[in-house]
Amino acid sequence: MNRIHEGLEATAKQYPETAAILTQGGEQVTYAQLKLIVDEAAAALRAKNVRGGDRVIVVGENSVAMIAFILACSPLDAWAIPTNARMAAGEIDRVVAHAEPRVIVTTDDASDSAAAHGERLGASAVEGAFGKVSITSARECSTEPVETAPEDQVAVVMYTTGTTGDPKGVMLTHNNLLFAGTQSANLRGLTHGDRVYAVLPLSHIFGLASALTASLLAGATLLLETRFA
């Protein structure tokens, strides 16, 4: 397995009718459906001319759309940058300035805060199986090299809180996430049919690796809370 989206593809093939996600609002998404949603999100990014080595900032809160666009970067060899929509405008602008993204996606259906950021950043509405999001036009930016080896190819950049200065982008490879997800699932004895209560934001490494990635690899069901309080 070389890319994180391949974990979803393998699970969707093995457990197509198992619920991958149960949302706070009662929506159920099976693994087969999630794969199709991710494919559609990837097509939406391609339509915006996202290339391998580009950075894609996903501003949102826990939702099917946020999961879809994080995973959709993987088959394109773009770098996903999950960003909490509850951050202030100035905080997000600092991440944008440092990351130099090709596009910014905001998960409008799931978060009024994300929608406000999308409007402020001049993003345009896009609808699909992932719901309603907004995506900016492609920006001029340089691309990073695309590496074949999963231990060399960056999957996600997680920005620190910047407590002692500006936020710093921590580059995580596909191997990093696949290893963390696998070990987290193994340590907890997580298997198909189990449920994982996902309260931590997907813009946090624990939410992304130990909740989302571990669940996808194990074929478990993610009980997804949009936000905690």
Side-chain angles (χ1 to χ4, degrees):
M1 197 175 296
N2 293 314
R3 299 291 188 262
I4 56 173
H5 76 280
E6 294 173 5
L8 169 61
E9 290 178 348
T11 305
K13 185 174 182 179
Q14 188 173 9
Y15 305 116
E17 300 307 315
T18 295
I21 301 168
L22 292 174
T23 70
Q24 194 173 6
E27 178 185 5
Q28 176 175 297
V29 178
T30 67
Y31 273 98
Q33 290 170 331
L34 183 58
K35 181 191 177 302
L36 294 176
I37 292 169
V38 170
D39 289 345
E40 193 167 332
L45 293 177
R46 287 192 189 95
K48 291 288 186 176
N49 298 312
V50 172
R51 308 156 298 182
D54 278 334
R55 280 74 59 208
V56 175
I57 293 179
V58 184
V59 180
E61 298 184 67
N62 290 359
S63 60
V64 173
M66 191 161 192
I67 291 171
F69 278 91
I70 291 170
L71 293 176
C73 290
S74 175
L76 277 60
D77 281 325
W79 299 13
I81 305 177
T83 305
N84 195 326
R86 299 174 76 175
M87 291 167 60
E91 293 174 308
I92 287 180
D93 289 346
R94 280 190 292 176
V95 172
V96 171
H98 185 265
E100 298 182 352
R102 183 67 161 169
V103 298
I104 302 166
V105 181
T106 59
T107 62
D108 298 359
D109 268 353
S111 169
D112 291 340
S113 299
H117 286 302
E119 183 175 358
R120 183 178 65 83
L121 294 166
S124 300
V126 177
E127 295 192 44
F130 41 74
K132 180 184 176 184
V133 302
S134 290
I135 309 177
T136 61
S137 298
R139 301 172 172 220
E140 290 297 325
C141 66
S142 60
T143 58
E144 297 293 336
V146 172
E147 307 289 350
T148 301
E151 63 268 26
D152 296 326
Q153 177 64 26
V154 172
V156 168
V157 178
M158 305 293 286
Y159 273 85
T160 65
T161 56
T163 304
T164 58
D166 285 341
K168 299 169 182 65
V170 180
M171 297 182 291
L172 300 170
T173 67
H174 287 272
N175 250 19
N176 289 151
L177 290 178
L178 290 169
F179 178 83
T182 299
Q183 293 306 310
S184 181
N186 289 343
L187 287 169
R188 291 181 288 162
L190 190 62
T191 62
H192 171 246
D194 287 336
R195 294 188 173 191
V196 175
Y197 187 44
V199 178
L200 282 172
L202 297 172
S203 53
H204 187 283
I205 186 58
F206 196 96
L208 180 65
S210 294
L212 174 60
T213 308
S215 295
L216 294 181
L217 295 175
T221 298
L222 201 66
L223 305 179
L224 196 60
E225 291 278 2
T226 300
R227 61 166 66 183
F228 182 72

